[in-house]
Amino acid sequence: MLTLDADMAVVGGTASVEEWLGLLQAGPRPFQRVPAEVLNVAAQLLAREAGVDRHPASARVHIGSGQWALLQASRMDSTGTAAIPPLAVTIQACPPAARLDMFARSFGLTTRQRELFELAASGADTNAMADALGIGAHTVQDQFKQIFETCGVHSRATLLALAMGAAQ
């Protein structure tokens, strides 16, 4: 976790934050110590607080080698003497469900393809997917052929490894 004051200057952070900060992009001047991604989620929180935007103050960020981070901003409780309580930005490994969603969105999978993709990620086999969706097993296989072509892979295992950041 990283804390920012009203001027977006760093006022504190947890021990693990330095490792995360090294994986993110340097911010613009004069905020070089604050990564651009941190500034983005902090700005989104400010927009929410001002009633300008309702989107959550969070972002999924690619940090290289197929790995993703999840950033979320929130306002800390006012316990100090500051007129405006600091912002807290948490940075953590992106959970699997969020990685799968981002992967499906980035490849533009259709609603049906997303359903099959999520079922495959849950461990369902072809027959279980067919039963769950009320379609035939051959239709499931045909849909996966389209997904493979879209994503540039040749198997479900490779597809899931790519989506989870485990593919080389």
Side-chain angles (χ1 to χ4, degrees):
M1 181 176 70
L2 182 68
T3 55
L4 306 172
D5 66 13
D7 296 322
M8 297 296 161
V10 175
V11 292
T14 59
S16 65
V17 78
E18 287 302 321
E19 183 179 335
W20 283 108
L21 295 179
L23 298 172
L24 302 174
Q25 300 178 50
R29 290 184 186 262
F31 303 105
Q32 298 92 322
R33 192 158 178 270
V34 183
E37 299 90 347
V38 170
L39 292 173
N40 286 340
V41 295
Q44 181 61 35
L45 178 63
L46 296 176
R48 282 181 60 92
E49 290 176 345
V52 176
D53 194 332
R54 292 181 185 222
H55 289 93
S58 65
R60 291 168 286 206
V61 179
H62 186 258
I63 55 175
S65 301
Q67 301 300 309
W68 292 80
L70 176 63
L71 286 78
Q72 296 176 303
S74 59
R75 180 74 63 187
M76 296 183 69
D77 290 335
S78 180
T79 56
T81 59
I84 301 173
L87 298 175
V89 177
T90 58
I91 307 169
Q92 63 188 31
C94 192
R99 288 194 301 263
L100 293 175
D101 176 62
M102 180 59 70
F103 183 85
R105 291 165 139 228
S106 66
F107 281 100
L109 298 183
T110 67
T111 301
R112 177 51 56 104
Q113 290 172 338
R114 286 179 70 128
E115 291 171 340
L116 287 168
F117 176 62
E118 290 168 4
L119 286 167
S122 74
D125 65 14
T126 300
N127 290 329
M129 289 184 222
D131 290 344
L133 299 175
I135 58 177
H138 291 303
T139 303
V140 169
Q141 292 170 340
D142 288 343
Q143 284 288 312
F144 269 108
K145 287 177 188 175
Q146 292 176 351
I147 294 170
F148 297 161
E149 186 176 321
T150 299
C151 299
V153 299
H154 302 289
S155 71
R156 293 181 199 179
T158 304
L159 175 71
L160 293 173
L162 183 61
M164 298 304 287
Q168 296 297 322

